[in-house]
Amino acid sequence: MRGGDDQDSVREEFLSEAQEIVETLSRDLLLLDQAQKERRDDPDLLNDIFRAVHTLKGLAGMFGMERLQELAHTLENLLDDLRLGRVDLTQETLDVLFEGVENIQRILARAEAGEDDVDLTGFAEAVDRFTEAAEVPTGNLDEYELGEHVTSVLTEYEEHRMRTNIEQDIPLYRLQVAFALASIDTALEDLKLRAKPFAELITYLPSMDGDDDDVISLEVLLASSAELEELRDVLCGTSGELEPVPRKQSARRPTMVPEDERKNPQSAPKKAQPRAQAGPVEEVVPDRGGGADALSLRSVANSVRVNIHKLDHLMNVVGELAIVRSAVAQMIEKIREWPELRSLSAELHRISRSFERNLEELQDGILDVRMVPLGQVFDKLARVIRQVARDNGKEIGMTVKGAETEVDKLIVEELSDPLMHLIRNAIDHGIETPAQRESRGKPRQGTLRLVAYQKGNHVLIEVKDDGNGMDSEFLLQTAIARGLINDDVSRDLGRDELFNLIFLPGFSTTETVTDLSGRGVGMDVVKTNISKLGGIIDVQSEVGVGTTFTITLPITLAIISALVVKLGADTYAIPLANVQEALMLEPAGIRTVEGREVMTLRGGTLPLCRLDELFRMQPPPRGRVNKQYVVVSQLGNRRLGMVVDSLLGQQDIVIKALGRSLSSVRGFAGATDLGDQHVALVLDTPQILEEVLASVERAKFVEVTT
Amino acid sequence: MSDPGQKSMVPGVLRAGSVASPAHADGAIFEFLAFRLATETYALPLAGVQEILKPPYITEVPRSAREVLGIVSVRGHVTTVIDLRRRLRLPEPPIDSRTRILLVAAAEEVVGLLVDNVLQVYRLYEDEVEIASTVGGDMNEYVMGIGRPRAVRTLGRSTSHERENVADILILLDAQSLLTR
């Protein structure tokens, strides 16, 4: 082992993890900034930020980056004061936080270059100015009949949240629930999740009346401005009882907190007593003080962060093993021909089969590791939706179904941009303003639905809005007006095909360019991005009812089924996801339309593309007498027949990227090792379709304009 | 890497790609792998050459640049093979049993370079290397210098085969500028 390299890779790992944290931090700070501007309190977000900085501090300590550790510590202090309400969240404090993240980034950048010379003294002083002025919020816990058993066990943070809510006049509720001991963790998570949109869960305490050993009764304290009935509906699905916490008669008006209590909110005798009160069920009481830390420690122990390239590498090794396996199988076949070795060959055959099975399992296992739930993207989108709707003066509710559907990590990464675009479009053009909706007899609030589900080897994602819908006639007129299609063609278009006009480059129906969409980068980019993932996008719409986009994606990019074909002397693979059918070419059936070869397929016209001509390959010596085949490929509503010399069959392949030196070569999605030492190129069917048909459409366009 | 404290006439580009050791009083030693392209002898810094392969089946890539021969799979990695003779505009003898592919790490990827045959490793002292800019004339941009090995050291007792493989002038190529275009 080379020690230097090891250290480098460990360092690299650290830097990438730290970078990831910084990215999350910047994102969360922006959200916090947004919340602050709207005078909205978001304790969860603040906690997330606090925890991220805390993790960073731990990491920095582990890797001996003292300066970073110091900086994180300073920030952590400020954040702690913020979440405990000792320091107010203002634009000034946010400025300091942003500056802090910038400093972290600076340190990381210098660290990458092996330097450690960022000066932080000025920054530390700026932070100190805030932390020194720390104060405690004044909301008075005495306003409520909380009971000694509650007030005495609140942590500093819980107490602060309680005070803040009281200060903002948000009523407190008490929920009594009982959970089975075995499933309390998941049940609590579920409760938190359900409560989240409506209420802030301040704390939960085990209560006294548990007779049953396997059941735990919890007293949950919530702050919520929702109506009691609504809250009951949301929370009481679990055999629970919800009631408002009674207020003390005398204490309606906020009163001043005694001086000594303000200075030291922990002075209450809570640390001394609470354990005894918790009684026999003490072990299962989550320790809220160290809760965040304990939780993150556990998750570190159970899961491993892995660079996706390492998984790619493993996949490569598995591919190599498959080649070894087939070589071994061939040897076994040879040995079989020797009668005196029959028992040996039978034994070898058995071993080889077991090898094969395990190899398949290994391959499936690696693929499984690459899978992540789509919820990862959906969560991000939910934040965007809220913001975009607000900016746009629209009321929008979002429902998500199937967030647990899993797809390959790489696909999830590439999916967020196209989905974001669809959603922005839906909010911008689709869903009407509350006033318009009311006048049309629709609920004020528009609904966006994200639905994901698996269907065979594909994952379908639907983005549905209940907005204005699209007028196909209007789309057609726009497309003609922009010269995107010609009049004759348009007559042949079916209703569904009309909607697909929006995917043409240069198509944009908004009259006014808004901040959100209609900037010319439109649906064609969405479509291209989806095709890059081997997927397709379709659209359905009804005027006044809404629009639905359906994205169909392969579950993984790592292994795909492909049709292996021969073209001249070379072998090519065509992803089956893009293949509709393959049939023999009838030379007599070929017609020429506008100088292009076409054939008739089930009553429709299918443009043909001779791949050897497209690829400008050497003309084959055989002439054109042999049988040839047509591979029909469809993208959205456009079809193309690719002419090849022969069909070799279907095979599962691992697509590997071509090197950078070939990045400018169009038409190939990568290459694959077919297992017989031959590398075959994998066709990028969407790109070929685009290329061939675009030139056809350009030709028509020229005809129209001249 | 070379010792930064050492005074040297050899520019960074040469040092960066080669293993230099201050073993000799005359200065650093640079190691080059020499190979034949058409009638000339070329050499690349040894440190940049990862592996020498016998050419496997090379899959042609339609629409690629003329000097791209195609792709091969090297232990699961798809690797582009470039015909050095085409890049350097030299005649192209047919591929035979002595043809080899050198795997060379460029800035962003590992690339295979097809050469007619591989000769040997030369260890050159600083004074055996002339930098392209000082040689003058119309030098190709890929050439970083000329190596003039003192025959004595590389030869010793030689067989006829070795004599055939010995060159008195090596055209030293710069892998980076060769591959970043």
Side-chain angles (χ1 to χ4, degrees):
Chain A
M1 269 286 149
R2 291 159 300 175
D5 276 8
D6 270 3
Q7 227 158 24
D8 277 358
S9 80
V10 164
R11 188 180 182 76
E12 208 168 278
E13 197 95 314
F14 160 71
L15 286 174
S16 85
E17 190 165 351
Q19 195 56 44
E20 211 167 278
I21 294 175
V22 168
E23 277 158 24
T24 319
L25 266 178
S26 328
R27 210 165 42 233
D28 286 353
L29 275 184
L30 282 172
L31 290 171
L32 192 65
D33 179 56
Q34 188 70 29
Q36 196 276 333
K37 281 180 183 145
E38 290 161 13
R39 305 259 166 263
R40 195 160 41 78
D41 201 25
D42 194 339
D44 284 342
L45 185 58
L46 202 49
N47 262 329
D48 285 348
I49 296 173
F50 175 77
R51 249 176 259 137
V53 171
H54 183 79
T55 309
L56 190 66
K57 184 176 90 170
L59 269 181
M62 249 157 63
F63 288 89
M65 299 201 40
E66 283 172 25
R67 240 162 233 281
L68 186 57
Q69 194 182 3
E70 220 172 90
L71 172 59
H73 183 73
T74 316
L75 280 173
E76 193 185 0
N77 278 344
L78 176 57
L79 284 162
D80 199 31
D81 281 345
L82 280 169
R83 75 188 188 124
L84 292 175
R86 294 194 213 114
V87 171
D88 284 337
L89 184 66
T90 58
Q91 283 301 313
E92 289 74 39
T93 28
L94 276 164
D95 286 346
V96 173
L97 289 175
F98 276 114
E99 196 189 328
V101 173
E102 255 167 55
N103 277 324
I104 295 173
Q105 216 138 19
R106 212 169 297 152
I107 292 179
L108 290 177
R110 298 299 294 161
E112 214 147 355
E115 306 282 343
D116 178 23
D117 53 1
V118 178
D119 182 22
L120 295 170
T121 42
F123 178 71
E125 280 164 21
V127 174
D128 284 347
R129 272 199 297 283
F130 286 100
T131 44
E132 275 161 19
E135 267 180 40
V136 175
T138 53
N140 190 350
L141 296 189
D142 292 343
E143 258 185 60
Y144 285 94
E145 301 268 13
L146 284 167
E148 169 76 14
H149 71 288
V150 174
T151 50
S152 59
V153 294
L154 290 181
T155 65
E156 187 180 3
Y157 178 65
E158 288 161 0
E159 190 173 321
H160 154 65
R161 291 309 312 158
M162 193 97 83
R163 283 184 197 281
T164 310
N165 279 301
I166 294 170
E167 211 169 52
Q168 291 172 355
D169 248 348
I170 297 172
L172 296 184
Y173 294 88
R174 176 180 282 141
L175 175 69
Q176 290 283 353
V177 279
F179 290 128
L181 194 51
S183 61
I184 182 157
D185 280 350
T186 50
L188 254 181
E189 269 317 303
D190 177 55
L191 179 70
K192 280 187 205 164
L193 221 62
R194 268 187 295 149
K196 181 119 199 253
F198 305 93
E200 179 184 345
L201 202 152
I202 294 171
T203 184
Y204 39 87
L205 310 157
S207 57
M208 299 297 98
D209 53 334
D211 305 333
D212 193 336
D213 280 351
D214 297 332
V215 172
I216 289 188
S217 301
L218 287 182
E219 177 176 341
V220 183
L221 279 178
L222 305 149
S224 169
S225 26
E227 293 296 321
L228 181 61
E229 283 312 310
E230 190 182 356
L231 216 48
R232 275 212 175 109
D233 282 352
V234 180
L235 297 176
C236 293
T238 48
S239 67
E241 255 176 68
L242 181 77
E243 53 176 27
V245 179
R247 291 177 196 253
K248 282 184 184 161
Q249 302 295 325
S250 56
R252 187 60 200 89
R253 298 256 85 221
T255 50
M256 288 299 288
V257 182
E259 191 62 25
D260 57 334
E261 204 176 313
R262 284 187 58 178
K263 278 267 143 45
N264 188 358
Q266 270 178 311
S267 66
K270 57 182 171 188
K271 289 284 175 221
Q273 291 179 3
R275 298 294 176 201
Q277 298 217 359
V281 284
E282 190 189 312
E283 290 88 351
V284 290
V285 180
D287 178 358
R288 298 285 281 148
D293 289 6
L295 217 65
S296 66
L297 263 184
R298 202 184 313 150
S299 70
V300 165
N302 280 342
S303 65
V304 188
R305 277 164 33 90
V306 182
N307 187 318
I308 191 92
H309 297 304
K310 289 191 181 171
L311 294 179
D312 285 344
H313 173 68
L314 281 183
M315 211 62 204
N316 266 341
V317 175
V318 171
E320 292 297 296
L321 277 179
I323 293 170
V324 172
R325 192 203 63 78
S326 69
V328 170
Q330 277 171 18
M331 295 294 275
I332 294 171
E333 280 306 305
K334 275 189 194 155
I335 292 174
R336 249 178 221 233
E337 289 161 15
W338 299 62
E340 65 271 35
L341 293 177
R342 187 158 294 151
S343 69
L344 181 65
S345 85
E347 178 77 349
L348 268 177
H349 184 68
R350 204 181 49 75
I351 295 174
S352 154
R353 288 296 293 274
S354 135
F355 178 37
E356 187 177 344
R357 265 197 312 279
N358 284 311
L359 195 60
E360 268 168 29
E361 218 166 288
L362 180 61
Q363 189 166 17
D364 289 349
I366 295 173
L367 283 183
D368 191 45
V369 170
R370 298 171 61 99
M371 297 298 216
V372 292
L374 274 169
Q376 283 190 0
V377 203
F378 289 179
D379 287 349
K380 268 196 264 173
L381 294 174
R383 287 191 216 136
V384 176
I385 291 178
R386 248 172 247 126
Q387 197 174 323
V388 173
R390 256 198 312 268
D391 296 349
N392 235 17
K394 295 188 178 170
E395 290 178 23
I396 286 159
M398 170 171 156
T399 59
V400 171
K401 219 176 128 187
E404 71 287 350
T405 314
E406 291 191 324
V407 290
D408 194 287
K409 169 80 176 163
L410 283 180
I411 298 183
V412 167
E413 292 292 304
E414 296 299 320
L415 205 54
S416 59
D417 279 354
L419 280 179
M420 193 91 84
H421 204 97
L422 288 182
I423 281 172
R424 279 171 182 258
N425 257 328
I427 298 174
D428 199 23
H429 309 316
I431 295 176
E432 312 92 328
T433 60
Q436 281 172 332
R437 291 181 64 90
E438 271 184 340
S439 72
R440 290 175 189 178
K442 288 178 168 181
R444 276 179 69 83
Q445 194 189 52
T447 305
L448 255 178
R449 282 169 59 79
L450 280 175
V451 183
Y453 54 95
Q454 191 175 339
K455 197 172 161 190
N457 263 334
H458 287 87
V459 163
L460 274 73
I461 303 171
E462 291 173 10
V463 181
K464 250 180 217 217
D465 69 62
D466 66 346
N468 216 358
M470 295 189 293
D471 180 355
S472 54
E473 188 53 33
F474 177 66
L475 294 181
L476 180 60
Q477 293 314 321
T478 313
I480 293 173
R482 313 234 156 142
L484 298 174
I485 56 167
N486 97 23
D487 230 350
D488 294 340
V489 181
S490 68
R491 253 173 259 134
D492 305 334
L493 293 177
R495 206 179 114 82
D496 292 352
E497 289 171 311
L498 286 174
F499 290 126
N500 281 302
L501 288 173
I502 59 169
F503 295 118
L504 288 178
F507 190 100
S508 173
T509 56
T510 22
E511 300 298 320
T512 53
V513 173
T514 73
D515 183 34
L516 294 176
S517 36
R519 268 177 295 194
V521 276
M523 301 303 293
D524 59 316
V525 177
V526 172
K527 185 178 175 178
T528 314
N529 287 342
I530 301 284
S531 326
K532 274 190 198 147
L533 297 174
I536 49 172
I537 181 164
D538 243 316
V539 57
Q540 293 293 317
S541 188
E542 200 157 329
V543 175
V545 178
T547 304
T548 303
F549 287 94
T550 309
I551 299 172
T552 310
L553 289 167
I555 287 179
T556 178
L557 292 179
I559 291 198
I560 60 162
S561 296
L563 181 66
V564 181
V565 303
K566 219 156 177 123
L567 198 57
D570 286 316
T571 313
Y572 291 84
I574 307 176
L576 263 190
N578 307 125
V579 175
Q580 228 179 11
E581 61 184 305
L583 42 116
M584 206 187 284
L585 178 67
E586 298 278 357
I590 301 176
R591 298 278 174 274
T592 315
V593 174
E594 288 163 348
R596 301 250 163 194
E597 285 183 315
V598 301
M599 61 176 270
T600 307
L601 180 65
R602 278 190 284 286
T605 305
L606 179 72
L608 291 177
C609 166
R610 293 190 181 270
L611 286 181
D612 48 4
E613 284 171 16
L614 184 74
F615 294 158
R616 295 201 180 80
M617 289 161 56
Q618 301 289 321
R622 52 169 169 68
R624 283 241 189 272
V625 282
N626 287 343
K627 279 187 295 190
Q628 284 190 303
Y629 294 84
V630 181
V631 178
V632 182
S633 172
Q634 178 156 23
L635 191 71
N637 59 352
R638 301 196 288 177
R639 289 192 306 177
L640 181 70
M642 297 180 287
V643 180
V644 300
D645 290 337
S646 58
L647 307 175
L648 297 182
Q650 187 184 331
Q651 194 170 336
D652 280 351
I653 60 165
V654 179
I655 298 192
K656 287 162 189 167
L658 298 179
R660 292 287 286 260
S661 47
L662 295 176
S663 58
S664 60
V665 180
R666 293 177 64 79
F668 305 105
T672 186
D673 209 325
L674 288 178
D676 54 357
Q677 295 284 308
H678 276 51
V679 182
L681 285 163
V682 181
L683 296 190
D684 185 344
T685 324
Q687 207 174 65
I688 291 175
L689 227 92
E690 212 58 61
E691 181 183 329
V692 174
L693 297 182
S695 70
V696 174
E697 274 148 20
R698 255 198 309 279
K700 283 178 185 163
F701 175 50
V702 171
E703 227 170 86
V704 173
T705 49
T706 49
Chain B
M1 287 295 127
S2 57
D3 179 0
Q6 201 172 15
K7 279 252 161 124
S8 169
M9 295 293 290
V10 183
V13 60
L14 187 53
R15 306 185 139 250
S18 54
V19 176
S21 54
H24 194 273
D26 296 354
I29 294 177
F30 303 96
E31 291 182 313
F32 286 91
L33 180 69
F35 48 86
R36 193 87 74 184
L37 291 177
T39 54
E40 314 262 11
T41 306
Y42 289 83
L44 278 165
L46 182 68
V49 181
Q50 292 186 348
E51 206 170 332
I52 303 172
L53 302 175
K54 288 190 178 175
Y57 181 85
I58 301 175
T59 303
E60 216 178 297
V61 180
R63 307 169 141 195
S64 57
R66 213 184 75 87
E67 63 241 35
V68 174
L69 269 179
I71 49 177
V72 296
S73 171
V74 182
R75 277 181 298 283
H77 287 277
V78 173
T79 309
T80 310
V81 180
I82 289 169
D83 193 336
L84 258 194
R85 303 166 305 186
R86 287 189 198 164
R87 172 140 289 177
L88 299 173
R89 299 199 178 81
L90 297 167
E92 297 167 34
I95 289 181
D96 61 22
S97 64
R98 295 197 298 171
T99 309
R100 293 289 180 273
I101 292 175
L102 309 182
L103 285 190
V104 176
E108 283 162 333
E109 63 174 313
V110 174
V111 168
L113 299 177
L114 190 89
V115 303
D116 288 338
N117 61 321
V118 172
L119 301 176
Q120 66 171 88
V121 173
Y122 281 90
R123 308 183 77 219
L124 300 182
Y125 289 104
E126 222 177 296
D127 61 355
E128 292 168 292
V129 175
E130 293 172 69
I131 300 308
S133 55
T134 66
V135 177
D138 230 3
M139 280 284 201
N140 198 311
E141 71 224 79
Y142 315 129
V143 177
M144 67 174 170
I146 298 293
R148 295 182 175 278
R150 285 187 282 265
V152 194
R153 198 177 59 253
T154 56
L155 260 182
R157 258 181 314 165
S158 60
T159 64
S160 63
H161 171 71
E162 272 172 359
R163 259 195 303 279
E164 185 198 329
N165 281 358
V166 161
D168 46 6
I169 286 194
L170 304 175
I171 304 170
L172 307 179
L173 294 173
D174 175 15
Q176 293 308 318
S177 69
L178 204 54
L179 299 176
T180 49
R181 296 195 11 165

